[in-house]
Amino acid sequence: MIAVPAENPAASAAPGPDVLRRTDGRAGFLTLDRPRAINALTHPMVRALDAALTDWADDPAVTTVVLRGAGERGLCAGGDIRAIHDDARAGGSASAAFWRDEYRLNARIARYPKPYVAFMDGIVMGGGVGVSAHGSVRVVTERSRIAMPETGIGFVPDVGGTWLLGRAPGELGTHLALTGTQIGAADALLTGLADHHVPAAALDALAADLTRLPAGEALARHTTPAAPGVLAEQREWIDACYSAPTVEEIVDRLLDSGVPDAKETADTLLAKSPTALKATLTVLRAARRLDSLEAVLDLEYRASCAALTSHDLVEGIRAQVVDKDRNPRWDPPALAGVTDADVARYLTPPPGGDLGLGPAA
């Protein structure tokens, strides 16, 4: 188990719903505490995180906030997608309410007035990226496995993921958004999803130093170079193929490139939800034209609400998580069947209204 530093006599603790909250020295610690679910986020957890950040923003005793995950498997595997599946099947509104609070939390983290240090150790996916990669200090380890895998369940990258990936060098972010590929520490640093590499074995010592030192000084004691990644070597064909204007043309370029890795990537794409692929490319490119995370979160909220009423989201979660047959039956089953109107729905304000984080249109 990845343990938090031992508390000193002055430390204080306040229990929350699967979020452990305490202060130690100059730091406030938040630990996501659902290790059996790889700390997947629930709505109460989002509220607990937001409440802690609200309390600590103006607390002079807390100069640094540290986020970590309980257990050995990772910081956070994302949102509770089984709950989203059940809500979507029932035609409910719980998921939209969850996203409203989750996306507001993502925006708060990005604008937090104090160093927000996220330990992105192990699995960090979907909503886990949202509560970590918008922080001011993002720490990865040799065990980090980071991804936005939404297209595999008929969804679109959210939690500000299109803001982050849209600003990665070249077309690396497009590649990661469409394929859901997991990346390690070096590639997270290359794409701008992380800032520092620290060996996993040194995280407890770093946490202890953060209780008494400014974040920069504490990090300087523990950062090391990351082992080489893979994206830098793949950059040439990724940029060439993913600069195409449509998903169909991206797939054609991948198949025609003569690069074995590119051919495998085409096969990966063709197994994803065709509707989610086209909607993701549209949202990602729209996000590149926006000038704030808040505006992008508004856009993603539209896409998420549209996905909630789609066939593919329920079917994708069924295949991957509920029945686990890994054989989703997408509708339509091929890219050619996805119309412009199908994609436009992902850019349309939902019946309950927009999120309203960005400036009014």
Side-chain angles (χ1 to χ4, degrees), residues 147-160:
M148 296 297 293
E150 286 77 8
T151 57
I153 58 167
F155 198 48
V156 175
D158 65 336
V159 298

Side-chain angles (χ1 to χ4, degrees), residues 4 58 115 124 145-147 163 170 182 189 206 213 218 247 270 281 285 287 292 297 316 318 330 342-343 359:
V4 294
D58 297 318
V124 186
R145 295 295 179 268
I146 301 168
W163 168 263
Q182 296 183 26
L189 295 167
L206 171 58
L213 296 173
V247 178
L270 292 172
L281 185 64
R285 290 185 170 166
S292 72
L297 288 166
R318 179 207 65 77
W330 307 123
D342 292 334
V343 175

Side-chain angles (χ1 to χ4, degrees), residues 132-186:
S132 59
H134 296 300
S136 55
V137 182
R138 292 90 49 91
V139 176
V140 286
T141 76
E142 74 280 2
R143 304 190 304 195
S144 294
R145 295 295 179 268
I146 301 168
M148 296 297 293
E150 286 77 8
T151 57
I153 58 167
F155 198 48
V156 175
D158 65 336
V159 298
T162 62
W163 168 263
L164 295 164
L165 295 178
R167 281 150 182 78
E171 296 293 337
L172 295 179
T174 310
H175 170 66
L176 297 179
L178 294 182
T179 63
T181 299
Q182 296 183 26
I183 59 174

Side-chain angles (χ1 to χ4, degrees), residues 199-256:
L203 289 179
D204 286 343
L206 171 58
D209 283 344
L210 287 167
T211 67
R212 60 189 184 83
L213 296 173
E217 289 184 32
L219 281 160
R221 293 169 171 249
H222 302 286
T223 54
T224 63
V230 299
L231 289 181
E233 293 183 358
Q234 298 175 335
R235 174 80 184 272
E236 183 176 358
W237 65 260
I238 286 175
D239 285 356
C241 296
Y242 286 94
S243 60
T246 67
V247 178
E248 289 93 333
E249 291 180 64
I250 289 171
V251 171
D252 287 343
R253 290 188 187 185
L254 290 167
L255 291 171
D256 294 341

Side-chain angles (χ1 to χ4, degrees), residues 2 8 15 20 41 70 94 98 104 107 133-134 146-147 149 163 170 173 199-200 202 214 254 262 274 288 300 330:
I2 301 173
N8 64 30
L20 305 180
L41 293 173
F98 167 61
R104 291 179 186 278
H134 296 300
I146 301 168
W163 168 263
L254 290 167
R288 284 178 172 171
E300 291 178 348
W330 307 123

Side-chain angles (χ1 to χ4, degrees), residues 33-52:
D33 192 32
R34 293 183 70 203
R36 293 180 62 184
I38 319 181
N39 304 313
L41 293 173
T42 64
H43 202 163
M45 291 170 72
V46 165
R47 291 189 179 122
L49 290 170
D50 189 72

Side-chain angles (χ1 to χ4, degrees), residues 266-345:
D267 294 338
T268 296
L269 289 177
L270 292 172
K272 308 295 184 183
S273 160
T275 301
L277 287 174
K278 286 196 172 184
T280 293
L281 185 64
T282 298
V283 172
L284 181 71
R285 290 185 170 166
R288 284 178 172 171
R289 299 190 295 268
L290 297 174
D291 60 4
S292 72
L293 169 63
E294 287 79 4
V296 171
L297 288 166
D298 283 344
L299 178 66
E300 291 178 348
Y301 182 71
R302 293 183 177 189
S304 297
C305 290
L308 190 64
T309 60
S310 72
H311 165 275
D312 279 9
L313 179 61
V314 171
E315 174 61 13
I317 299 175
R318 179 207 65 77
Q320 297 296 333
V321 177
V322 180
D323 296 337
K324 299 182 180 178
D325 59 26
R326 307 294 193 266
N327 185 33
R329 295 179 288 275
W330 307 123
D331 184 20
L335 290 166
V338 182
T339 67
D340 291 344
D342 292 334
V343 175
R345 203 170 66 84

